[in-house]
């Protein structure tokens, strides 16, 4: 998704902008560009990678500038559609994330007033509106321009001859990084981590005027103060650390992520979570999320219904926004790694408007989700750079386990066993990783196929969905996740020698039924790879091959099974020479509906 950077200070701006843009590449983009302010505005942009832009761009002289990575929404990826965009005079430059919903009307009006447009984008109306209202004061012109636009935006504007950046946001993330006689702007923390860890999160409606020595934020003309935060992520956290891909590094970080997420929860200092959203006569729970976070939510439903005995509904945010009813006496949880997913944020607003208290589980401190929620729990996964979510999913699961267990009325002995099981999870996760070489062999075999089914039952049905999602998004093998019992209601027609089935088997009440499902599949000649507990002889005999995982309480089986499936997807994609960290057409943070 689009990324924004800006700098004003005493250093040459161009290398800083280009370096910061490389840190946003993980979000997914198709074009990029920079603008530097001197006496005029110097601009270079194209539908290329940042590396190519760096080589091709002329050297610009200046200490203030803006940059952008674009993910096309309005208009194809092209040099003209790339940001920054300029006004007619070429003296005002703007980068923008979001969508201006009334851009067509504004464009018609501005064209009638004599403005010339060069791109197909919605963004281009912004520099023209600023130009229309510009009387040697960029801040006033930006304010006036934004009064005319509808939609979502995070913008940085730059004007020749004015040594300042003007920033504004509505429904899109924007942060200011504070330096020493220099300041940074970015849509995302990794972009500024090389320079500072002191940040201010802007709020919707804020307009900021940033010079090298001063940050002034106002809303509706009145100055406001915004708290400074320290980002705990280190530069190293956002680097590959010797791994070939971020995804592999992030998969390997999971034992640590589980440990870090548990510290503070399963500890004497903080023995129980005060689940505020579940107070006050709440009778049911609703969990809303998208993609991989939605799969974590589905697992949350199984845990909550088993250990809390509370009816729990799970909805993909994109669906809930159009038909789901908010329920009376319902406590809502939203799960979002980035805290910026447009569908999820829309659902949150809807829930709050409907009177549901909302708890957000997110990985990004200061994200929009954390500001909308009544209560926020941060997963402690560290920055997740690879587009495919892995360690953030794990951290979400751990939070859900602990949330549910800390409110559970299950008998004391069962709870004590579960807490013990939770504490052992980092070691169990490590055991799965230690089996990497074997999983690699399974992946090499799988990579030859074009269609694969993942099946599971109960708490491992969402694991099948997640396994299929990981495989399809990074290896481009068509993969479907199915409830194993549903195969006979249609998908069996597709099975055969060319369609392997990955069967996720847990030692719970679904075990015998899963064995029967595997028999069903084998009878149709599909090769079966089972993911099953070590020492399970029945599975060894039945399946064509087995990926073994360590023994855990079945409640925790999604943890070990998912790690095995992440590795399977990773190595299958590697075998097929896919661009693992940046799959085609996908973005890390989906800030459009
Ligand atoms: C898949 C993946 C996506 C995200 C989804 C939600 O690997 O990463 O499906 O899970 O876009 O993102 P968040 O959790 O940031 O709301």
């Amino acid at each position: 998704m689009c990324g924004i950077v800006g700098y004003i200070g005493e250093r040459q701006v161009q290398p800083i902008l280009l370096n910061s843009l490389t840190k946003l590449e993980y979000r997914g983009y198709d074009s990029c560009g920079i603008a530097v302010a001197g006496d005029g505005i110097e601009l270079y942009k194209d539908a290329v990678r940042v590396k190519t832009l760096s080589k091709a761009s002329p050297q610009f002289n200046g200490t203030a500038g803006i940059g952008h990575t674009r993910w096309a929404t309005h208009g194809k990826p092209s040099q003209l559609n790339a940001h920054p965009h300029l006004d007619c005079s070429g003296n005002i430059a703007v980068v923008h994330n979001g969508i201006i919903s009334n851009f067509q009307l504004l464009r018609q009006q501005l064209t009638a007033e004599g403005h010339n447009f060069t791109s197909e984008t919605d963004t281009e109306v912004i520099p023209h509106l600023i130009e229309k209202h510009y009387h040697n004061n960029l801040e006033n012109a930006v304010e006036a321009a934004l009064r005319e636009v509808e939609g979502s935006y995070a913008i940085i504007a730059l004007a020749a001859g004015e040594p300042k950046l003007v920033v504004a946001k509505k429904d899109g993330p924007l942060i200011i990084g504070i330096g020493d006689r220099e300041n940074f702007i970015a849509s995302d923390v990794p972009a500024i981590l090389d320079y500072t860890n002191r940040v201010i999160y802007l709020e919707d409606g804020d307009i900021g005027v940033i010079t090298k020595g001063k940050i002034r934020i106002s809303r509706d003309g009145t100055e406001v103060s915004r708290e400074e935060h320290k980002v705990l992520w280190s530069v190293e956290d956002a680097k590959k650390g010797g791994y070939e891909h971020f995804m592999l590094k992030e998969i390997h970080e999971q034992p640590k992520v589980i440990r870090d997420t548990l510290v503070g929860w399963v500890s004497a200092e903080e023995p129980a979570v005060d689940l505020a959203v579940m107070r006050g006569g709440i009778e049911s729970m609703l969990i809303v999320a998208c993609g991989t976070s939605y799969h974590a939510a589905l697992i949350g439903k199984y845990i909550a219904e088993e250990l809390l005995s509370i009816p729990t509904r799970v909805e993909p945010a994109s669906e809930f926004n159009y038909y789901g009813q908010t329920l009376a006496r319902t406590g809502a949880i939203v799960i979002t790694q980035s805290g910026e997913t447009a569908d999820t944020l829309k659902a949150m607003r809807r829930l709050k408007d409907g009177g549901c208290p909302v708890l957000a589980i997110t990985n990004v401190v200061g994200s929009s989700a954390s500001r909308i929620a009544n209560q926020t729990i941060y997963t402690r996964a560290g920055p997740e750079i690879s587009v495919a979510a892995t360690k953030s999913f794990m951290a979400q699961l751990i939070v859900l386990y602990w949330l549910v267990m800390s409110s559970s009325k299950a008998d004391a002995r069962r709870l004590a066993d579960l807490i013990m099981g939770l504490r052992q999870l980092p070691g169990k996760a490590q055991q799965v990783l230690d089996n990497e070489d074997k999983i690699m062999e399974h992946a090499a075999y799988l990579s030859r196929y074009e269609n694969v089914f993942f099946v599971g039952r109960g708490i491992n049905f969402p694991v099948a969905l997640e396994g299929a999602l990981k495989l399809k998004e990074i290896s481009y093998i068509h993969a479907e996740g199915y409830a194993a019992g549903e195969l006979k209601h249609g998908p069996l027609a597709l099975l055969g020698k060319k369609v392997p089935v990955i069967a996720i088997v847990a030692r719970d009440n679904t075990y015998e039924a899963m064995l029967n499902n595997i028999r069903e599949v084998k009878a149709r000649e599909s090769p079966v790879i089972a993911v099953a507990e070590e020492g399970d002889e029945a599975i060894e005999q039945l399946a064509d091959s087995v990926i073994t995982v360590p023994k855990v309480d079945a409640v925790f089986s999604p943890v070990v099974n998912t790690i095995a499936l992440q590795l399977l997807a990773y190595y299958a994609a590697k075998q097929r020479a896919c661009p693992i960290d940046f799959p085609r057409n996908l973005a890390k943070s989906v800030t459009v509906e």
Side-chain angles (χ1 to χ4, degrees):
M1 202 91 332
C2 304
I4 288 185
V5 298
Y7 171 83
I8 186 158
E10 294 179 346
R11 297 193 253 178
Q12 281 300 315
V13 67
Q14 188 168 1
I16 295 176
L17 293 178
L18 291 167
N19 178 48
S20 296
L21 286 180
T22 62
K23 303 291 162 33
L24 294 181
E25 289 189 290
Y26 76 97
R27 295 167 65 97
Y29 71 108
D30 44 53
S31 41
C32 52
I34 56 170
V36 173
D39 293 337
I41 300 266
E42 298 189 278
L43 175 81
Y44 194 78
K45 58 183 188 172
D46 209 343
V48 292
R49 311 299 295 172
V50 178
K51 203 166 160 192
T52 312
L53 190 91
S54 303
K55 285 195 192 130
S57 169
Q59 290 292 319
F60 297 144
N61 192 17
T63 55
I66 57 180
H68 191 265
T69 49
R70 173 173 188 255
W71 193 77
T73 54
H74 293 62
K76 61 185 178 299
S78 71
Q79 198 259 331
L80 286 178
N81 288 334
H83 298 213
H85 287 283
L86 299 178
D87 66 335
C88 296
S89 71
N91 284 326
I92 292 168
V94 170
V95 286
H96 164 231
N97 286 357
I99 289 179
I100 304 302
S101 47
N102 61 339
F103 84 99
Q104 268 161 330
L105 180 69
L106 291 170
R107 191 173 165 129
Q108 274 165 18
Q109 287 168 354
L110 287 160
T111 306
E113 289 164 20
H115 290 259
N116 283 328
F117 285 81
T118 55
S119 79
E120 302 158 273
T121 64
D122 54 333
T123 299
E124 203 183 355
V125 295
I126 304 176
H128 287 278
L129 280 172
I130 296 174
E131 178 180 34
K132 176 176 156 181
H133 295 287
Y134 189 72
H135 306 288
N136 295 321
N137 182 322
L138 184 60
E139 182 188 0
N140 291 348
V142 169
E143 256 190 86
L146 293 179
R147 273 197 288 272
E148 296 190 40
V149 307
E150 288 166 16
S152 60
Y153 53 79
I155 64 160
I156 316 178
L158 186 67
E162 285 204 56
K164 62 170 85 142
L165 303 176
V166 176
V167 300
K169 93 160 213 99
K170 181 174 165 260
D171 298 341
L174 203 56
I175 60 171
I176 302 172
I178 306 166
D180 183 16
R181 296 198 59 72
E182 58 183 359
N183 288 304
F184 305 82
I185 320 287
S187 49
D188 204 354
V189 170
I192 58 164
L193 273 183
D194 276 347
Y195 309 106
T196 182
N197 64 355
R198 297 167 56 201
V199 300
I200 290 171
Y201 297 98
L202 289 177
E203 295 191 5
D204 281 351
D206 285 355
I207 294 197
V209 180
I210 323 293
T211 60
K212 68 178 177 185
K214 198 164 177 218
I215 296 167
R216 187 164 51 81
I217 301 167
S218 59
R219 48 194 302 140
D220 304 323
T222 308
E223 196 166 333
V224 289
S225 76
R226 294 277 170 257
E227 206 183 329
E228 181 183 319
H229 296 262
K230 200 162 232 144
V231 176
L232 298 175
W233 297 351
S234 72
V235 176
E236 287 314 309
D237 285 339
K239 287 188 176 160
K240 279 189 201 155
Y243 286 92
E244 193 176 345
H245 295 99
F246 281 109
M247 183 177 178
L248 189 60
K249 176 186 174 232
E250 288 159 6
I251 291 173
H252 275 267
E253 282 173 343
Q254 290 177 112
K256 178 177 183 300
V257 165
I258 299 174
R259 219 171 281 122
D260 289 353
T261 304
L262 284 176
V263 167
W265 302 113
V266 191
S267 75
E269 307 120 58
E270 216 174 335
V273 183
D274 179 10
L275 200 44
V277 296
M278 299 308 290
R279 280 200 232 113
I282 293 299
E283 288 170 2
S284 69
M285 199 149 80
L286 169 65
I287 318 182
V288 182
C290 297
T292 288
S293 298
Y294 169 68
H295 298 153
L298 288 172
I299 294 169
K301 170 186 163 74
Y302 284 92
I303 320 170
E305 294 198 330
E306 180 176 336
L307 296 172
L308 279 184
S309 307
I310 185 162
T312 304
R313 194 175 122 199
V314 180
E315 301 286 351
S318 55
E319 284 297 300
F320 173 76
N321 289 335
Y322 290 93
Y323 82 92
Q325 296 299 310
T326 61
L327 303 175
R329 290 186 289 286
T330 297
I333 298 181
V334 301
I335 306 179
T336 166
Q337 184 282 129
S338 61
E340 302 296 345
T341 301
D343 287 322
T344 307
L345 297 182
K346 185 169 178 179
M348 288 182 83
R349 294 191 185 96
R350 206 169 154 238
L351 284 161
K352 283 190 73 181
D353 290 348
C356 283
V358 180
L359 167 75
I361 298 175
T362 182
N363 196 37
V364 181
V365 176
S367 56
S368 303
S370 71
R371 288 197 299 271
I372 299 170
N374 300 82
Q375 189 186 3
T376 300
I377 293 182
Y378 289 109
T379 48
R380 298 174 196 199
E384 188 174 67
I385 306 292
S386 176
V387 164
T390 52
K391 63 174 181 170
S392 62
F393 170 83
M394 197 51 62
Q396 291 165 355
L397 282 194
I398 300 302
V399 166
L400 286 166
Y401 283 125
W402 187 245
L403 271 183
V404 166
M405 281 160 60
S406 65
S407 305
S408 173
K409 305 274 179 290
D411 80 79
R413 198 156 161 193
R414 170 93 175 114
L415 267 181
D417 284 349
L418 286 173
I419 290 174
M420 169 94 84
L422 201 53
R423 285 179 205 268
Q424 289 171 345
L425 283 180
K428 301 287 183 184
Q430 188 56 51
Q431 278 174 262
V432 185
L433 297 171
D434 293 344
N435 197 21
E436 190 167 11
D437 286 351
K438 279 264 160 50
I439 298 176
M440 213 183 289
E441 287 167 22
H442 291 281
Y445 165 81
L446 197 66
S447 68
R448 303 200 297 264
Y449 291 91
E450 289 308 324
N451 297 287
V452 178
F453 273 84
F454 286 71
V455 297
R457 278 177 176 261
I459 200 167
N460 281 289
F461 165 45
V463 174
L465 296 177
E466 177 58 10
L469 177 62
K470 284 293 92 91
L471 186 71
K472 77 180 100 179
E473 71 179 324
I474 62 166
S475 75
Y476 311 149
I477 296 172
H478 169 229
E480 289 204 43
Y482 245 86
E486 288 294 299
L487 284 180
K488 57 189 168 297
H489 300 293
L492 279 187
L494 287 173
L495 297 193
K497 284 185 183 143
K498 289 190 178 159
V499 184
V501 174
I502 317 287
I504 303 139
V505 187
R507 283 288 198 168
D508 56 13
N509 60 343
T510 66
Y511 182 72
E512 291 300 332
M514 269 308 289
L515 295 191
N516 284 334
N517 292 135
I518 294 175
R519 288 187 190 104
E520 235 166 49
V521 168
K522 290 221 51 162
R524 273 80 192 176
E525 297 191 277
S526 276
V528 174
I529 303 176
V531 178
E533 212 174 88
E534 57 203 356
D536 187 332
E537 284 174 18
I539 294 286
E540 296 277 355
Q541 282 175 13
L542 196 55
D544 294 287
S545 58
V546 183
I547 297 174
T548 54
V549 291
K551 278 190 179 35
V552 289
D553 188 296
V555 167
F556 299 125
S557 57
V559 169
V560 288
N561 292 340
T562 304
I563 297 174
L565 296 181
Q566 292 167 346
L567 285 172
L568 190 70
Y570 174 82
Y571 283 109
K574 191 165 172 222
Q575 193 76 25
R576 292 164 69 102
C578 294
I580 294 181
D581 284 332
F582 310 110
R584 66 183 177 217
N585 304 334
L586 297 181
K588 182 67 186 161
S589 161
V590 186
T591 52
V592 291
E593 254 185 76

